[in-house]
């Protein structure tokens, strides 16, 4: 997959070494022990994993993602599965005595309580009604509409990018405009809240530079998921583009370490949910 197309041009700049405010990641409250604690910062716009990945991919002034990016569609579906896992709605079936691989284990609905997010609840409803259950990779394909099985086409989540963009408009991060492209008009969503975008970019940069934790088990699971899924969606380099050459190379080196980690081994460590490890595996296989 060529990850050099459709990305912003990187600039050589000196990274600010001054003190930086620590913007903590906000988790949704859930009974699942894998959820991170809510830091209670009401001043920071709370975004879902899907919204963060889309925001990284959107061109600030133009208000749309690169026409060359054919990865973000499946990447956003992966975000949906991870979000459901982090909120304690789904889990993987047990590995069993034969230790089934992550990609062979089925997704089980363990809590069908609505999340309040339309996209998440739509995906959760499909999973609840499916018998026998399907694995993570199949669900990413079904939710993306990338399946040859006509019976599974009804699972496709349509207009995901547009629906996420409208969520960001409601949260005051984006606005809505109409642009003419010669043969057709297109609805676009330019950035209006520069602080929200810069906060997100800063969080991503710091995660692999000043706050790097050289152990995925010790990383915040939502932040780890953001890094891996933004990479899978071909939007992560947009956050790294402003870095100077040395920091850029270091950031990319650490992302490669995450992408190349032994996911089967990592999923067996600790007691955390394994859904996100399976999602990672579906993009790094």
């Amino acid at each position: 997959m060529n990850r050099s197309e459709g990305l912003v041009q990187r600039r050589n700049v000196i990274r600010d070494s001054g003190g930086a405010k620590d913007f903590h990641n906000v988790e949704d409250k859930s009974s699942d022990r894998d959820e991170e604690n809510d830091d209670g910062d009401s001043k920071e716009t709370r975004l879902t994993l899907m919204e963060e990945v889309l925001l990284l991919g959107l061109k600030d002034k133009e208000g749309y993602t690169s026409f060359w990016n054919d990865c973000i569609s499946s990447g956003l579906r992966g975000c949906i599965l991870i979000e459901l896992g982090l909120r304690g709605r789904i889990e993987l079936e047990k590995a069993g005595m034969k230790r089934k691989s992550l990609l062979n284990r089925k997704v089980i609905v363990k809590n069908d309580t609505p999340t309040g997010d339309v996209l998440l609840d739509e995906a959760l409803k499909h999973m609840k009604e499916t018998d026998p259950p399907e694995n993570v990779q199949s669900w990413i394909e079904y939710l993306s509409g990338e399946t040859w099985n006509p019976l599974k086409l009804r699972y496709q989540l349509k207009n995901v990018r547009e629906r996420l963009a409208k969520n960001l408009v409601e949260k005051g991060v984006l606005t809505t405009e109409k642009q003419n492209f010669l043969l057709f008009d297109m609805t676009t969503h330019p950035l209006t809240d520069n602080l929200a975008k810069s906060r997100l970019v800063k969080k991503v940069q710091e995660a692999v530079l000043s706050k790097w934790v050289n152990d995925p088990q010790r990383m915040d699971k939502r932040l780890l998921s953001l890094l891996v899924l933004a990479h899978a969606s071909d939007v992560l380099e947009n956050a790294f583009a402003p870095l100077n050459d040395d920091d850029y190379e270091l950031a990319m080196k650490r992302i490669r370490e995450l992408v190349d980690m032994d996911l089967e081994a990592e999923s067996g460590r600790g007691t955390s949910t394994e859904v996100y490890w399976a999602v990672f595996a579906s993009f790094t296989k």
Side-chain angles (χ1 to χ4, degrees):
M1 185 182 302
N2 188 346
R3 297 189 179 279
S4 63
E5 295 181 326
L7 298 174
V8 297
Q9 182 65 38
R10 202 163 61 81
R11 295 177 285 116
N12 291 332
V13 298
I14 303 300
R15 189 162 62 93
D16 183 9
S17 60
K21 182 178 178 182
D22 180 9
F23 293 103
H24 295 285
N25 189 40
V26 180
E27 289 285 354
D28 298 284
K29 292 183 178 180
S30 169
S31 58
D32 187 355
R33 293 179 59 187
D34 297 310
E35 291 285 343
E36 302 297 329
N37 291 330
D38 190 331
D39 67 4
D41 185 3
S42 59
K43 296 181 180 179
E44 181 174 343
T45 304
R46 302 184 184 187
L47 306 180
T48 64
L49 189 59
M50 303 87 74
E51 291 166 352
E52 288 183 319
V53 168
L54 179 65
L55 187 55
L56 287 175
L58 283 174
K59 300 174 184 291
D60 293 356
K61 294 181 180 179
E62 293 87 345
Y64 52 82
T65 57
S66 169
F67 294 126
W68 303 105
N69 189 336
D70 58 357
C71 306
I72 194 170
S73 178
S74 58
L76 290 173
R77 273 65 173 188
C79 289
I80 289 172
L81 294 181
I82 289 180
E83 192 76 61
L84 287 170
L86 291 172
R87 298 189 188 203
R89 298 309 195 275
I90 61 174
E91 63 183 356
L92 293 188
E93 66 176 341
K94 303 301 180 184
M97 295 295 291
K98 294 184 178 180
R99 293 299 302 173
K100 284 185 180 179
S101 68
L102 289 168
L103 293 180
N104 285 328
R105 292 161 66 184
K106 308 301 184 183
V107 176
I108 307 298
V109 175
K110 72 177 196 177
N111 181 356
D112 62 359
T113 304
T115 65
D117 182 289
V118 176
L119 279 173
L120 294 181
D121 291 341
E122 189 175 333
L124 185 63
K125 181 175 181 291
H126 289 325
M127 294 176 191
K128 179 185 176 183
E129 295 175 350
T130 300
D131 187 27
E134 301 279 2
N135 60 36
V136 161
Q137 192 168 2
S138 293
W139 273 118
I140 291 174
E141 293 172 356
Y142 296 160
L143 297 176
S144 302
E146 298 175 357
T147 175
W148 293 102
N149 187 339
L151 298 178
K152 304 296 184 181
L153 287 174
R154 64 189 180 90
Y155 293 141
Q156 181 182 5
L157 298 180
K158 298 181 178 180
N159 304 316
V160 168
R161 269 177 272 190
E162 179 65 20
R163 291 159 75 179
L164 290 173
K166 287 181 178 178
N167 289 347
L168 290 169
V169 170
E170 292 176 0
K171 293 179 179 181
V173 178
L174 306 177
T175 188
T176 301
E177 294 181 356
K178 287 281 188 182
Q179 288 195 31
N180 180 268
F181 289 87
L182 296 179
L183 299 177
F184 62 94
D185 289 332
M186 186 174 81
T187 300
T188 61
H189 300 282
L191 182 70
T192 56
D193 188 347
N194 292 308
L195 180 58
K197 179 70 174 278
S198 62
R199 217 185 253 137
L200 174 60
V201 169
K202 182 178 180 180
K203 178 173 69 172
V204 169
Q205 292 177 353
E206 289 183 342
V208 293
L209 293 173
S210 61
K211 297 180 181 179
W212 172 248
V213 179
N214 195 25
D215 180 0
Q217 294 291 336
R218 294 171 52 215
M219 293 183 70
D220 174 271
K221 295 304 180 289
R222 185 177 289 274
L223 184 55
L224 172 63
S225 300
L226 174 60
L227 294 174
V228 176
L229 268 295
H231 177 270
S233 301
D234 204 7
V235 300
L236 186 58
E237 190 163 330
N238 294 342
F240 293 162
L243 296 173
N244 63 57
D245 287 345
D246 289 342
D247 282 348
Y248 176 85
E249 291 301 325
L250 180 58
M252 293 305 297
K253 175 179 178 292
R254 288 172 170 170
I255 289 299
R256 285 192 293 270
E257 290 176 8
L258 293 180
V259 173
D260 293 339
M261 62 183 164
D262 187 338
L263 296 168
E264 295 289 347
E266 293 296 340
S267 69
R269 296 172 58 196
T271 58
S272 58
T273 181
E274 296 169 299
V275 170
Y276 46 82
W277 300 117
V279 174
F280 297 169
S282 70
F283 287 106
T284 60
K285 63 183 186 302

